[in-house]
């Protein structure tokens, strides 16, 4: 069926289809979801288990190892890694990459079942393992609510009221707090006073727990009713705790002693706090808001903005509500920037076509080859559920140059035939129908070049998979419209031949004669020409080793993050105080708009590629919003230099955000040993690796993830003397706990809060506890008589221990981490690789590279399964189109030579080659094959007309020169707007330089290679 003939015959239907495409495309564009980056699932779950009082090694062996052993049974498991620290086990589970978001819920169910199975085998005292499968949950809207002149309790009340209001906004799925401190009611007791009153901690605990329990007193029948009995006695106010009476013995007499007689009751918050937040120097609480799946983030942001503006009028002066991160603004700006790039690209393409082919042909190609395919793509994207985001819009720009190829071929063919005097309709039908099948085959081949990324099961496949889908949709639509809309527009708009020019040959100009001469020379000296091209290819392959390598580029977010790592064991209060100096510096920087400091752990995940840091009292992260993208670079440079000079006591990392798959540490070398490898051996190996990195100027921020050993106070419990004194190890531990963090002795109910009541020593005793543990008075559980701790211990020793024990796939593992200094991660790794591999490893130990190297390797290997079917389809189509193998060899044979242009362009611009540049190289292969197919199809057409093989080849190249060069020109100039985008610049450079060389190869090398394979000689003069 000839679609051109059908559309000409059924013009009303075709015109109505055009109307539907215009209206539907515009409507669907405004209905599409809008995101900054495509959604991809974070296939990681976190299992947290408490084990109070246990050392890191006890946690590892008694909790972590048991859970990991059970998890090993999961077939879905990819990696399991953990860190065990005193009293806490944190296990992270990575699921295999082929489990995407639609299959993950079932995997998490299996994970929970495995954890539930192992729970009864955990030691006494270990808490219930908590499975967090929302590790990848993204809170796109992050607010800081700070106070100026209000107490923390007042601030908390306003934040909770805001949360209730924002959680009911349409499109909001979840609203969480960050920075809210847990409430406590403290009973501050002097241990000596307890001893004087002959009171035991057990008496206080029993009395408090019994007093405030929810008790069931039953129900009674009264006449026709059944009435519930509810005794009073629960605490209605914290002050009532002080009035609670405890039976005691004073001077040999039984007495009723009230808690206020020996303790001070104080309402407060957990001390020390687990985490804290400051915004612009003020105490703050964050509200993390997550949009519902499938919602238009921009619209949700507008609704949240509107509700916040309403709430602000009810807040008192001094309560400040400010943004830390606002996804809808990021998305709106991203979409706006891409639409500007798309419009610029369309304008550039139309201008080029108008110059090279004329205004009317340019308009025809622009409408049928660009506007309609783009509008049609919006319709299909809406149907299949693809949102507007960085990848889908980038795919449109990539496909744009290829979209016009089909329309250029058809329009150029119609123009030539009309210029030769052929009837318009016949010219349209013949020019469109003749190359229809070759164009369709070439279009499918171009689409399949992107299939490997769609078939990849790695995270990058899920992230960039829509690239193939959008390119395929737009290119197939472009072929459909070049067969239907382009002929109609050509019939209506192209001018007729000028008087006396109806029979003139458009390919007899001086330029075409020079081109024929060039082809004649390359075909005559084919071995020399092809040999020189192979030489250039080998040079470019060698030169590619000089091209910088980069996995994913930095993001264009107007944000900078600064990680602050104090020495391990530093109090959170000290971390908070020390990091204020950095806050003050960045707040005074001209590029800074706002500063938010998260102390104790990382912020909520507000940007999908970046995960939050685990809890550490010695850790803080500063998030700085800047005024401009140039301000990001200025702030990073200035802050990095300032902290190196002014903060020598801590490790400080000043970083930009990145896009796509994000590795927290770009360089990671992991040493692992047997299941319970010797920590000293691991630390020795890690120190050798760290010294290698410290010795190279290409590395900075070198550290070991086990961190520094920390001091431990170790009272030497004497079992024999303690037994004579009636003191148990638990009695001693409880006494020391009361002298430090405090002992939970009951609960207080306040509305919907259940607040622990904590008994602890008075402040003066707690402050001296570290140096006076042996002076504490220990009261045996069943006695009222106290003895000094020195009677049951043989002194207090100060020992050293590992605060963290990391494991990787159930093996103890220690990782050396660092950041590149002024170079890319592959450059740094290549610099130190030989030295690392020269480290002598004991039997059973091994070295593995993680970080960006491993991520890039996995993403590249994940392309392989998709390459095989893509190649099969592409090769089959090429063989089927020409019913032979030699045309296929020509199509595939010229592709490697685009390396000449790619290497030259990347070296010239010093642009790193990474995953995004790889996508550009893949698209180049599709473009090249498409142009070669069109050229070879013309050769066959010339042979059918009776031309000699030589003239068939040369004249095919001459007649295809204008369409191929125009198609290449539109693609090359169409990617120019992408040069200003940090994400797409590598792809733009790859296509720009690669296609320029590729076009020359298509027009010169393909005829030469064809002549070589088919044994065609240059005819003698006159033949």
């Amino acid at each position: 069926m000839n679609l051109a003939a059908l559309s000409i015959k059924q013009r009303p239907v075709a015109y109505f289809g055009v109307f539907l495409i215009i209206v539907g495309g515009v409507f669907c564009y405004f209905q599409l979801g809008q995101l900054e980056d495509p959604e991809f699932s974070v296939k990681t779950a976190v299992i947290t288990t408490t084990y109070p009082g246990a050392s890191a090694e006890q946690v590892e062996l008694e909790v972590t190892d048991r859970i990991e052993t059970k998890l090993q049974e999961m077939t879905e498991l990819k990696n399991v890694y953990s860190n065990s620290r005193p009293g806490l086990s944190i296990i992270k589970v990575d699921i295999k990459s082929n489990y995407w978001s639609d299959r993950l819920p079932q995997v998490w169910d299996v994970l929970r079942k495995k954890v539930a199975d192992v729970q009864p085998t955990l030691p006494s005292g270990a808490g219930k393992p908590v499975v967090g499968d929302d590790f990848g949950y993204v809170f796109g809207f992050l607010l800081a609510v700070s106070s100026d002149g209000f107490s923390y309790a007042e601030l908390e009340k306003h934040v909770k009221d805001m949360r209730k209001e924002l959680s009911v906004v349409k499109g909001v799925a979840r609203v969480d707090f960050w920075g809210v401190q847990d409430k406590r009611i403290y009973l501050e007791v002097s241990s000596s006073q307890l001893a004087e009153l002959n009171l035991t901690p057990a008496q206080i605990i029993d009395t408090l727990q019994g007093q405030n329990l929810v008790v069931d007193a039953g129900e009674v029948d009264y006449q026709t009713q059944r009435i519930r009995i509810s005794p009073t006695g629960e605490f209605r106010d914290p002050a009532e705790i002080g009035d609670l009476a405890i039976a005691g013995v004073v001077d040999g007499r039984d007495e009723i002693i009230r808690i206020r007689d020996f303790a001070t009751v104080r309402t407060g918050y957990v001390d020390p706090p687990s985490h804290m937040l400051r915004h612009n120097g003020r105490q703050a609480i964050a509200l993390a808001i997550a949009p519902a799946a499938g919602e238009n983030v921009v619209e949700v942001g507008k609704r949240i903005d509107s509700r916040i503006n309403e709430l602000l009028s009810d807040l008192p002066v001094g309560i400040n509500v400010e943004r830390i991160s606002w996804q809808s603004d990021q998305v709106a700006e991203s979409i706006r920037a891409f639409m500007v790039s798309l419009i610029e690209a369309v304008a550039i393409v139309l201008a080029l076509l108008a110059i090279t082919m004329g205004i009317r042909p340019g308009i025809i190609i622009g409408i049928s080859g660009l506007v309609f395919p783009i509008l049609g793509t919006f319709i299909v994207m809406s149907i299949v559920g693809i949102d507007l985001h960085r990848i889908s819009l980038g795919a449109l720009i990539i496909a744009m140059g290829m979209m016009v190829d089909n329309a250029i071929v058809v329009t150029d063919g119609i123009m030539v035939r009309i210029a030769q005097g052929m009837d318009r309709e016949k010219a349209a039908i013949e020019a469109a129908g003749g190359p229809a099948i070759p164009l369709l085959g070439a279009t499918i081949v171009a689409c399949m070049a992107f299939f490997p990324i769609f078939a990849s099961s790695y995270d990058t496949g899920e992230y960039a998979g829509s690239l193939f889908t959008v390119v395929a949709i737009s290119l197939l639509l472009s072929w459909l419209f070049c067969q239907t809309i382009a002929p109609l527009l050509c019939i209506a708009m192209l001018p007729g031949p000028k008087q006396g020019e109806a029979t003139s040959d458009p390919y007899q100009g001086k330029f075409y004669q020079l081109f024929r001469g060039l082809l004649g020379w390359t075909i005559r000296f084919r071995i020399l020409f092809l040999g020189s091209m192979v030489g250039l290819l080998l040079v470019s392959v060698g030169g590619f080793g000089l091209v910088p390598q980069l996995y994913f580029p930095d993001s264009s977010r107007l944000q900078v993050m600064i990680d602050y790592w104090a020495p391990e064991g530093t109090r959170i209060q000290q971390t908070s105080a020390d990091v204020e100096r950095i806050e003050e510096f960045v707040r005074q920087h001209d590029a800074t708009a706002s500063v938010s400091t998260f102390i104790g752990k990382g912020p909520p995940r507000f940007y999908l590629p970046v995960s939050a840091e685990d809890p550490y009292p010695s850790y803080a992260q500063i998030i700085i919003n800047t005024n401009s993208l140039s301000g990001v670079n200025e702030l990073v440079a200035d802050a990095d230099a300032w902290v190196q000079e002014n903060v020598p006591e801590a490790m400080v990392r000043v970083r930009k955000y990145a896009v796509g798959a994000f590795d927290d540490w770009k360089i990671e070398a992991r040493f692992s040993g047997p299941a319970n490898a010797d920590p000293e051996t691991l630390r020795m190996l890690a120190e050798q690796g760290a010294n290698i990195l410290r010795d190279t100027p290409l590395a900075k921020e070198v550290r070991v993830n086990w961190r520094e050993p920390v001091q431990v106070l170790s009272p030497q419990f004497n079992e024999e003397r303690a037994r004579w004194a009636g003191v148990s190890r638990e009695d001693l531990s409880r006494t020391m706990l009361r002298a430090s963090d405090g002992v939970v002795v009951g609960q207080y109910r306040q509305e919907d809060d259940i607040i622990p009541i904590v008994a602890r020593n008075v402040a003066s005793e707690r402050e001296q506890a570290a140096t006076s543990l042996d002076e504490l008075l220990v009261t045996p559980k069943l006695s009222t008589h106290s003895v000094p701790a020195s009677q049951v211990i043989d002194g207090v020793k100060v020992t050293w221990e590992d605060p963290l024990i990391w494991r990787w796939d159930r093996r103890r593992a220690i990782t050396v981490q660092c950041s590149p200094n002024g170079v890319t991660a592959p450059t740094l790794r290549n610099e130190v690789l030989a030295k690392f591999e020269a480290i002598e490893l004991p039997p059973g130990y091994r070295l593995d590279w993680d970080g960006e190297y491993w991520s890039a390797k996995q993403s590249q290997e994940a392309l392989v399964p998709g390459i095989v079917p893509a190649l099969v389809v592409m090769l089959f189509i090429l063989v089927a189109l020409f019913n032979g193998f030699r045309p296929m060899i020509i199509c595939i044979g010229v592709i490697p030579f685009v390396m000449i242009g790619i290497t030259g362009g990347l070296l010239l611009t010093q642009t790193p080659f990474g995953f995004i540049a790889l996508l550009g190289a893949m698209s180049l292969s599709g473009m090249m094959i498409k142009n070669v197919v069109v050229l070879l199809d013309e050769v066959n057409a010339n042979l059918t007309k009776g031309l000699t093989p030589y003239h068939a080849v040369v004249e095919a190249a001459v007649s295809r020169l204008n369409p191929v060069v125009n198609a290449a020109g539109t693609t090359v100039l169409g990617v120019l707007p992408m040069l200003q985008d940090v994400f797409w610049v590598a792809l733009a450079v790859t296509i720009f330089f690669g296609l320029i060389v590729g076009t020359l190869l298509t027009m010169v090398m393909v005829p030469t290679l064809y002549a070589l394979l088919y044994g065609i000689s240059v005819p003698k003069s006159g033949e």
Side-chain angles (χ1 to χ4, degrees):
M1 180 184 296
N2 190 309
L3 290 177
L6 182 63
S7 63
I8 292 171
K9 183 178 179 181
Q10 305 289 341
R11 294 190 189 190
V13 176
Y15 290 145
F16 186 68
V18 167
F19 172 76
L20 292 178
I21 291 168
I22 294 173
V23 174
V26 173
F27 175 79
C28 288
Y29 169 75
F30 289 104
Q31 297 301 310
L32 289 172
Q34 298 183 7
L35 300 171
E36 181 179 7
D37 287 286
E39 294 180 344
F40 65 93
S41 53
V42 177
K43 305 170 186 66
T44 303
V46 183
I47 304 165
T48 306
T49 311
T50 58
Y51 190 11
S55 67
E57 187 172 14
Q58 289 173 318
V59 170
E60 178 209 14
L61 299 178
E62 298 177 26
V63 176
T64 302
D65 184 63
R66 295 186 185 186
I67 297 176
E68 288 182 348
T69 301
K70 192 65 177 178
L71 295 177
Q72 189 173 327
E73 300 174 6
M74 294 179 61
T75 58
E76 302 89 347
L77 187 68
K78 179 181 179 183
N79 296 113
V80 56
Y81 46 102
S82 61
N83 77 78
S84 301
R85 57 183 75 179
L88 182 65
S89 165
I90 301 176
I91 302 173
K92 293 183 180 179
V93 177
D94 285 347
I95 302 303
K96 290 178 180 176
S97 299
N98 56 302
Y99 292 92
W100 287 9
S101 56
D102 57 332
R103 303 171 65 189
L104 278 179
Q106 291 79 15
V107 176
W108 300 143
D109 288 341
V110 174
L111 175 66
R112 284 192 173 86
K113 183 178 182 301
K114 296 296 182 184
V115 173
D117 289 344
V118 79
Q119 184 181 339
T121 69
L122 297 181
S124 175
K128 179 181 179 181
V130 178
V131 178
D133 59 8
D134 60 351
F135 185 71
Y137 209 85
V138 180
F139 296 90
F141 305 94
L142 193 59
L143 281 172
V145 185
S146 59
S147 66
D148 185 5
F150 288 86
S151 68
Y152 186 85
E154 292 171 319
L155 173 64
E156 182 184 1
K157 180 182 181 301
H158 288 298
V159 171
K160 287 187 173 180
D161 291 340
M162 288 187 65
R163 179 191 183 186
K164 291 179 181 178
E165 295 297 328
L166 294 176
S167 63
V168 297
V169 172
K170 182 183 177 183
V172 170
R174 178 172 161 184
V175 182
D176 283 3
F177 295 126
W178 199 102
V180 172
Q181 304 300 323
D182 294 330
K183 294 178 181 177
R184 294 288 187 273
I185 295 176
Y186 287 106
L187 303 183
E188 297 189 342
V189 184
S190 169
S191 56
S192 59
Q193 197 169 7
L194 274 183
E196 290 175 5
L197 295 174
N198 291 322
L199 291 176
T200 68
Q203 288 176 285
I204 301 173
I205 294 172
D206 292 343
T207 304
L208 282 169
Q209 288 182 342
Q211 178 70 18
N212 216 39
L213 285 175
V214 174
V215 294
D216 182 10
E219 298 178 350
V220 296
D221 295 330
Y222 176 73
Q223 297 180 359
T224 61
Q225 301 178 6
R226 187 161 179 82
I227 303 174
R228 186 175 70 87
I229 302 173
S230 178
T232 63
E234 290 187 8
F235 300 129
R236 291 169 296 177
D237 187 271
E240 295 181 2
I241 298 175
D243 296 330
L244 186 65
I246 299 176
V249 179
V250 180
D251 296 331
R253 302 190 309 273
D254 292 337
E255 295 283 350
I256 297 297
I257 303 170
R258 301 192 182 277
I259 287 180
R260 66 168 177 264
D261 295 333
F262 62 85
T264 301
V265 180
R266 186 173 63 83
T267 302
Y269 295 89
V270 63
D271 182 25
S274 61
H275 57 291
M276 298 182 285
L277 171 63
R278 282 195 299 270
H279 182 73
N280 289 336
R282 295 188 296 267
Q283 178 180 248
I285 296 173
L287 280 173
I289 308 168
E295 288 284 341
N296 186 318
V297 173
V298 176
E299 294 301 319
V300 174
K302 291 178 181 177
R303 290 194 286 267
I304 295 174
D305 281 334
S306 176
R307 188 65 186 121
I308 289 175
N309 290 332
E310 294 171 356
L311 295 174
L312 287 177
S313 61
D314 297 329
L315 292 175
V317 176
I319 297 293
N320 305 291
V321 181
E322 297 168 281
R323 299 175 178 180
I324 298 176
S325 180
W326 214 246
Q327 190 179 30
S328 60
D329 288 350
Q330 301 280 353
V331 171
E333 174 59 26
S334 177
I335 299 295
R336 184 202 65 79
F338 270 106
M339 290 308 298
V340 168
S341 296
L342 185 60
I343 293 170
E344 288 175 350
V346 171
I348 291 171
V349 169
L350 291 177
L352 175 65
L353 292 173
I355 293 171
T356 58
M357 299 185 69
I359 295 178
R360 293 186 185 184
I363 294 174
I364 293 170
I365 296 169
I367 293 175
S368 62
L370 279 179
V371 177
F372 284 172
I374 291 174
L375 291 175
T377 302
F378 288 149
I379 296 173
V380 181
M381 286 172 61
S382 178
I383 295 171
V384 301
I386 299 175
D387 298 320
L388 289 174
H389 46 63
R390 189 190 307 273
I391 298 298
S392 60
L393 286 171
L396 282 175
I397 298 178
I398 294 171
M400 188 174 58
M402 292 185 284
M403 279 192 280
V404 298
D405 288 2
N406 294 324
I408 288 175
V409 171
V410 172
T411 303
D412 182 73
I414 296 174
M415 288 175 61
V416 170
R417 285 166 175 79
I418 291 178
Q420 292 174 344
M422 187 180 292
D423 177 71
R424 285 175 174 275
E425 291 192 5
K426 184 179 179 182
I429 293 171
E430 183 179 302
I437 298 302
L439 284 177
L440 177 61
T443 299
I444 296 175
V445 167
C447 296
M448 292 307 295
F450 295 90
F451 180 75
I453 184 63
F454 177 78
S456 170
S457 60
Y458 191 57
D459 291 344
T460 46
E462 191 174 2
Y463 178 80
S466 59
L467 188 72
F468 165 75
T469 310
V470 174
V471 167
I473 292 168
S474 57
L475 291 187
L476 290 173
L477 286 176
S478 75
W479 176 84
L480 177 64
F481 293 138
C482 88
Q483 295 295 306
T484 55
I485 307 301
L488 289 176
L489 294 177
C490 286
I491 291 172
M493 297 180 61
L494 287 181
K498 295 181 181 179
Q499 190 70 26
E501 294 185 0
T503 59
S504 64
D505 188 344
Y507 302 120
Q508 292 302 317
K510 186 175 181 180
F511 175 76
Y512 290 108
Q513 293 296 348
L514 290 174
F515 182 60
R516 285 187 180 93
L518 174 64
L519 290 179
W521 185 90
T522 59
I523 293 174
R524 177 176 289 108
F525 301 101
R526 66 194 71 179
I527 301 300
L528 174 63
F529 173 71
L530 293 176
S532 63
M533 296 302 298
V534 170
L536 282 176
L537 175 61
L538 294 176
V539 170
S540 67
V541 171
F544 190 76
L546 303 175
V547 175
Q549 304 292 306
L550 182 68
Y551 183 33
F552 268 97
D554 292 328
S555 169
S556 58
R557 294 177 69 91
L558 304 184
Q559 287 180 317
V560 174
M561 56 178 154
I562 300 178
D563 294 309
Y564 177 91
W565 290 93
E568 188 65 22
T570 303
R571 300 166 62 232
I572 190 172
Q573 296 95 327
Q574 187 64 44
T575 303
S576 174
D578 291 345
V579 82
E580 285 187 32
R581 289 182 297 152
I582 305 176
E583 289 179 69
E584 185 63 26
F585 170 78
V586 295
R587 284 173 57 193
Q588 294 177 359
H589 197 280
D590 293 338
T592 300
S594 67
V595 179
S596 304
T597 305
F598 298 82
I599 306 161
K601 64 178 181 179
R605 187 192 290 264
F606 60 85
Y607 179 50
L608 181 58
V610 182
S611 58
E613 186 60 69
D614 290 338
Y616 293 94
S618 57
Y619 173 76
Q621 185 175 85
I622 304 174
I623 305 296
I624 306 131
N625 288 313
T626 65
N627 297 311
S628 64
L629 188 58
S630 61
V632 169
N633 298 323
E634 294 172 9
L635 182 60
V636 167
D638 295 345
D640 196 30
W642 187 88
V643 297
Q644 289 184 30
E645 182 177 346
N646 295 277
V647 194
E649 75 281 1
M651 192 195 75
V652 184
R653 305 177 67 203
V654 184
R655 298 187 286 162
K656 299 178 185 179
Y657 286 84
V659 294
F662 181 85
D663 291 285
D664 195 45
W665 291 92
K666 292 184 179 296
I667 295 293
E668 291 188 290
R670 182 174 59 249
F671 297 92
S672 59
N676 293 324
D678 177 33
E680 291 301 319
T681 302
L682 288 173
R683 280 195 177 274
M684 177 195 68
L685 294 173
E687 191 59 29
Q688 292 182 58
N691 288 333
I692 293 172
L693 293 171
R694 293 188 187 107
D695 290 341
T696 174
L698 303 184
K700 63 178 182 178
E701 300 158 4
V702 181
R703 78 161 204 169
V704 175
N705 70 339
W706 281 39
R707 307 277 283 147
E708 305 87 359
V710 297
Q711 291 180 322
V712 178
L713 295 177
S714 181
Q716 305 298 297
F717 185 67
N718 188 307
E719 181 70 33
E720 185 175 342
R721 294 212 310 264
R723 190 175 297 277
W724 281 108
V727 174
S728 68
R729 185 165 171 267
E730 183 182 0
D731 294 331
L732 178 64
S733 298
R734 186 174 290 274
T735 297
M736 294 183 173
L737 180 60
R738 193 175 72 244
S740 53
D741 293 334
V743 181
V744 177
V745 295
Q747 292 180 333
Y748 172 74
R749 289 177 178 80
Q750 185 179 60
E751 298 178 353
D752 58 347
D753 289 333
I754 298 178
I755 306 174
I757 302 172
V758 178
R760 64 181 184 179
N761 289 3
V762 294
S764 59
E765 295 180 2
R766 297 198 311 274
E767 291 169 359
Q768 301 298 321
T771 57
S772 59
L773 287 180
D774 56 345
E775 300 174 8
L776 295 175
L777 296 175
V778 183
T779 304
K781 188 173 184 180
L782 301 177
S783 172
T784 60
H785 299 287
S786 301
V787 298
S790 58
Q791 290 189 13
V792 295
I793 63 175
D794 296 328
V796 179
K797 289 186 178 179
V798 178
T799 60
W800 293 86
E801 72 172 8
D802 289 311
L804 299 167
I805 299 178
W806 283 88
R807 290 157 61 104
W808 180 269
D809 285 342
R810 302 198 55 223
R811 295 161 57 97
R812 280 183 178 172
I814 190 167
T815 304
V816 183
Q817 303 165 320
C818 76
S819 301
N821 185 21
V823 296
T824 62
T827 301
L828 171 56
R829 179 179 174 274
N830 292 335
E831 172 72 17
V832 300
L833 180 60
K835 295 180 181 179
F836 265 87
E837 292 182 343
I839 296 175
E840 185 176 348
L841 300 176
Y845 288 77
R846 56 185 291 181
L847 166 65
D848 296 288
W849 289 93
D850 203 339
E852 188 173 288
Y853 164 79
W854 180 243
S855 298
K857 182 180 178 183
Q858 288 184 96
S859 64
Q860 291 166 7
E861 290 176 350
L863 295 175
V864 174
I867 290 175
V868 175
L871 280 177
V872 169
V873 172
M874 294 166 72
L875 295 178
F876 180 82
I877 289 175
L878 293 175
V879 173
L881 283 175
F882 301 104
N883 193 28
F885 297 106
R886 283 179 288 187
M888 177 196 72
I889 294 173
I890 295 172
C891 291
I892 301 301
V894 296
I895 291 177
F897 290 88
V898 298
M899 191 76 175
I900 300 170
I902 293 175
T903 300
L906 294 175
L907 286 174
L908 181 64
T909 60
Q910 280 300 295
T911 302
F913 184 89
F915 188 78
I916 302 303
L918 179 63
L919 298 180
M922 292 165 60
S923 66
L924 272 178
S925 64
M927 297 175 192
M928 288 285 294
I929 291 176
K930 190 175 183 182
N931 288 335
V932 175
V933 166
V934 172
L935 178 55
L936 295 181
D937 178 67
E938 188 69 14
V939 173
N940 288 344
N942 288 345
L943 290 173
T944 304
K945 294 176 183 177
L947 272 68
T948 63
Y950 172 80
H951 289 98
V953 172
V954 172
E955 294 307 316
V958 169
S959 64
R960 293 294 92 194
L961 181 62
N962 185 48
V964 169
V965 170
N966 270 304
T970 56
T971 304
V972 166
L973 296 179
V975 298
L976 285 180
M978 301 176 77
L979 291 172
Q980 57 192 342
D981 190 296
V982 294
F983 182 79
W984 292 109
V985 61
L987 179 140
V989 169
T990 301
I991 292 179
F992 186 92
F993 290 94
L995 192 56
I996 290 175
V997 173
T999 302
L1000 296 176
L1001 294 176
T1002 302
M1003 301 315 302
V1004 180
M1005 188 174 177
V1006 170
T1008 307
L1009 191 57
Y1010 188 97
L1012 176 67
L1013 292 179
Y1014 283 89
I1016 299 173
S1017 302
V1018 178
K1020 296 179 181 179
S1021 179
E1023 292 185 7

